[in-house]
Amino acid sequence: MKQIILVTDGCSNVGIDPVIAAAQARQEGIVVHVVGVIDHGEIGEMGAAEIAEIAKAGGGLSRIVSSVQLSQTVQMMTRKTVTNTIQQVVEQELRHILGGDGSLTELPPQKRGPVVQAVEELSESVDLRIALLVDASASMKPKLAAVQEAVHDLLASLRARNGKSELSVFRFPGLHGEEAHLELGWTRELAKVPNLFYKINMRGTTPTGPALLQTIRYVADKPAFAADKAEGKEGMLSEYIV
């Protein structure tokens, strides 16, 4: 399963519309979530509207949070969307078997419990890749410590899962004209986190759309767990990669 979690204060101002980019991610089988750490006033309202539209186009969740809520929210989004996706697959199968709308609530209680338990177990065991895309424009500078904490806690959370879980981290704008800069390639190692944004140059522009496109290319062009696939170990949800 593949996800992008965008952390931003909204109001992109360079390049392609990020809503269009998020829709492209969804076509590639990548869910886009957006966590907004925004300011008050008219600019904050504009940012909140953009955040909601990006997540909707990317088939993901959006939340507006304070800096102190950031870490918990990033972890919640990750787990909730995995569970929701697996539940959708299960309900699709139920529609084939039972007809109706496939909702788990249509099952009798004695059968519903084991199915719900199976969904929860699969949520912890399915392979997962998450690319965290961090807005590093000038207005995000006071929030950078909270972002760093969120990355650290998310890695710890991923390592606690039974399934294979990896994280990569991008920030935007990138260096030397890049749309986004890869700060951390696919990893499960906490040791690399403390200096992740060391001496980062916070700049004023917010090229959210182009940064999303670059992150999508990275996630889509590197198939998850290629070594396992080379050995013929296709996962049971391989047809439902998200």
Side-chain angles (χ1 to χ4, degrees):
M1 300 180 76
K2 300 175 184 179
Q3 302 180 20
I4 294 172
I5 300 179
L6 168 64
V7 180
T8 181
D9 56 4
C11 297
S12 60
N13 53 24
V14 176
I16 188 174
D17 187 334
V19 176
I20 296 175
Q24 175 65 33
R26 193 172 187 179
Q27 291 179 358
E28 295 284 349
I30 304 167
V31 175
V32 179
H33 308 295
V34 192
V35 183
V37 190
I38 64 175
D39 300 314
H40 298 292
E42 184 178 351
I43 294 179
E45 292 177 2
M46 292 172 58
E50 179 180 270
I51 285 162
E53 290 175 4
I54 294 171
K56 182 178 180 180
L61 305 172
S62 66
R63 293 289 187 277
I64 304 299
V65 302
S66 66
S67 295
V68 296
Q69 298 171 309
L70 182 59
S71 176
Q72 181 180 0
T73 302
V74 168
Q75 293 181 65
M76 176 277 295
M77 282 184 160
T78 301
R79 292 183 177 275
K80 185 174 182 179
T81 190
V82 171
T83 301
N84 287 352
T85 301
I86 292 173
Q87 183 171 325
Q88 289 170 15
V89 173
V90 169
E91 290 181 344
Q92 182 178 0
E93 293 300 316
L94 287 176
R95 281 194 293 273
H96 290 310
I97 297 169
L98 303 176
D101 63 8
S103 172
L104 294 180
T105 58
E106 290 189 347
L107 293 174
Q110 66 271 24
K111 294 184 179 180
R112 188 186 312 149
V115 174
V116 171
Q117 182 178 353
V119 169
E120 293 175 350
E121 291 175 355
L122 280 171
S123 299
E124 285 298 307
S125 61
V126 68
D127 294 345
L128 179 63
R129 272 191 164 180
I130 299 173
L132 193 63
L133 177 59
V134 179
D135 182 348
S137 58
S139 58
M140 283 289 291
K141 190 170 185 177
K143 305 154 188 172
L144 199 58
V147 173
Q148 186 107 329
E149 180 183 355
V151 176
H152 185 280
D153 290 349
L154 179 58
L155 265 174
S157 175
L158 293 178
R159 291 185 68 183
R161 299 178 72 252
N162 295 324
K164 294 180 180 179
S165 306
E166 292 183 295
L167 178 72
S168 63
V169 181
F170 286 81
R171 55 99 162 177
F172 68 98
L175 305 171
H176 312 300
E178 293 176 295
E179 293 89 353
H181 178 71
L182 179 63
E183 294 282 346
L184 183 66
W186 297 120
T187 186
R188 301 182 72 198
E189 297 300 322
L190 288 169
K192 298 179 180 179
V193 174
N195 296 320
L196 191 58
F197 298 111
Y198 181 65
K199 290 186 178 179
I200 189 170
N201 181 21
M202 311 292 283
R203 294 188 290 166
T205 58
T206 311
T208 309
L212 259 176
L213 288 179
Q214 183 170 328
T215 307
I216 292 164
R217 288 194 294 269
Y218 180 79
V219 175
D221 290 347
K222 290 182 176 287
F225 318 110
D228 284 354
K229 291 187 176 183
E231 296 173 9
K233 299 178 181 178
E234 297 291 344
M236 67 174 295
L237 297 176
S238 61
E239 295 181 29
Y240 301 97
I241 293 291
V242 175

